[in-house]
Amino acid sequence: LHRLAMCFVSSVLACISLVHGDAAHARPFDDIKKDGRIIVATEGQFAPFNYFQGSRLTGFEVDIAEAMAQRMGVKIEWKALSFDALLAGLRQDRWDMVIASHGITEERSRAVTFSNPHYCSGGIIVSKGEGVRTVKDLSGKVVAVQIGSTYFDNVKKTTEAREVKTFPQDSDARAALITGRVDAWVTDRFVAKAALEANRASGMQLGDMVFVERIASAVAKGNGSVASEINKALAAIQADGTYDAISRKWFGEDIRCK
Ligand code: ARG
């Protein structure tokens, strides 16, 4: 309402950018530094990368972002939102940065600026029992994926699945597999491993990888000063052992891109 009221007193151009948001209004790093806090959005439903333990936001990406913010000399104000709202919010300058396991894609790169990747992974097939392990096995099958994810695009592109069912959260796609409503679930390989460990009685099995991807945080399109601070901070924690320690704590291995 406030924004709309502003429209009546400002020029047509200013009005358009107020209503639609515009990367030109994204806070450069100087402003963030002066403010002392960076606003970081994530989903909080993608264990072990970003999730809630009770009311506490935690996970590999939460630890990595906190370590990077410390290097950048700022505090994080966390926001948790649905996955499909995260990149859109950068355009509207609702937050400065998103870290939620986004794979770097051409399509997303048209809308946001990605930092350097903080890990490398990919989509893996999860099924119940032995029958469905390979991309070929997915022919004619019903596959569950999170909506708006690279798993959706890649299952569509590389398999002959009969149906790709989308779910708002990745954990809903997992539940669909566990309860037998779909033949397979395609998700991140580390998410799948953690899910198997947490649900040993479920009968879930890991199959082949469908594709690999580089996962990065994102800032508003063209917000180069924030992207370059993130890159510097990431390089620093990867050089001084901080990244390695965080990665080993969550995965027992270093998952940086090689
Ligand atoms: N890596 C996948 C992608 O880029 C899935 C990311 C899902 N992240 C999440 N917080 N649920 O689309």
Side-chain angles (χ1 to χ4, degrees):
L1 202 71
H2 178 69
R3 284 178 162 201
L4 277 174
M6 287 284 288
C7 285
F8 292 110
V9 297
S10 58
S11 72
V12 172
L13 265 183
C15 173
I16 287 167
S17 65
L18 273 168
V19 171
H20 293 284
D22 178 326
H25 293 92
R27 295 201 298 171
F29 187 69
D30 278 352
D31 290 6
I32 291 169
K33 186 92 196 204
K34 256 176 240 148
D35 182 26
R37 95 224 134 113
I38 185 167
I39 305 174
V40 181
T42 190
E43 184 196 32
Q45 306 292 342
F46 201 55
F49 291 103
N50 59 79
Y51 66 105
F52 282 93
Q53 220 159 38
S55 63
R56 197 172 64 91
L57 185 62
T58 185
F60 172 74
E61 288 178 309
V62 174
D63 284 356
I64 289 294
E66 289 289 352
M68 292 197 297
Q70 199 178 332
R71 279 281 174 167
M72 290 153 71
V74 293
K75 287 249 172 322
I76 297 183
E77 180 182 324
W78 285 102
K79 301 227 185 270
L81 293 109
S82 67
F83 183 67
D84 62 359
L86 295 171
L87 296 185
L90 287 172
R91 280 184 82 88
Q92 302 153 346
D93 294 322
R94 293 172 65 199
W95 35 83
D96 303 303
M97 168 181 165
V98 168
I99 187 162
S101 289
H102 285 93
I104 300 174
T105 67
E106 243 172 67
E107 193 187 346
R108 288 171 177 167
S109 296
R110 283 195 282 274
V112 301
T113 293
F114 281 107
S115 70
N116 292 334
H118 57 279
Y119 73 94
C120 270
S121 187
I124 198 167
I125 299 166
V126 189
S127 64
K128 291 215 293 184
E130 299 291 320
V132 184
R133 306 197 80 101
T134 66
V135 165
K136 243 187 157 169
D137 295 339
L138 291 179
S139 299
K141 297 294 195 300
V142 181
V143 182
V145 296
Q146 182 174 29
I147 199 161
S149 68
T150 51
Y151 314 129
F152 177 82
D153 298 337
N154 283 279
V155 169
K156 279 271 183 198
K157 202 170 64 193
T158 63
T159 80
E160 273 155 38
R162 172 159 56 88
E163 191 188 347
V164 186
K165 273 199 168 104
T166 57
F167 296 83
Q169 296 182 2
D170 191 59
S171 51
D172 302 327
R174 179 190 67 213
L177 174 66
I178 292 178
T179 55
R181 283 175 288 150
V182 297
D183 302 304
W185 166 41
V186 172
T187 188
D188 182 89
R189 64 182 280 248
F190 295 108
V191 169
K193 274 195 197 174
L196 254 62
E197 272 164 37
N199 301 274
R200 282 191 191 283
S202 67
M204 285 192 291
Q205 305 255 359
L206 291 188
D208 290 350
M209 306 251 329
V210 179
F211 68 102
V212 294
E213 62 181 350
R214 296 155 70 233
I215 307 284
S217 51
V219 299
K221 180 88 183 157
N223 197 354
S225 66
V226 178
S228 95
E229 286 300 321
I230 293 170
N231 290 341
K232 271 196 261 170
L234 178 60
I237 66 166
Q238 288 193 326
D240 75 358
T242 305
Y243 179 99
D244 189 70
I246 293 170
S247 186
R248 277 175 204 287
K249 166 183 144 190
W250 288 101
F251 306 106
E253 62 181 298
D254 190 320
I255 67 167
R256 80 182 71 190
C257 298
K258 306 259 158 44

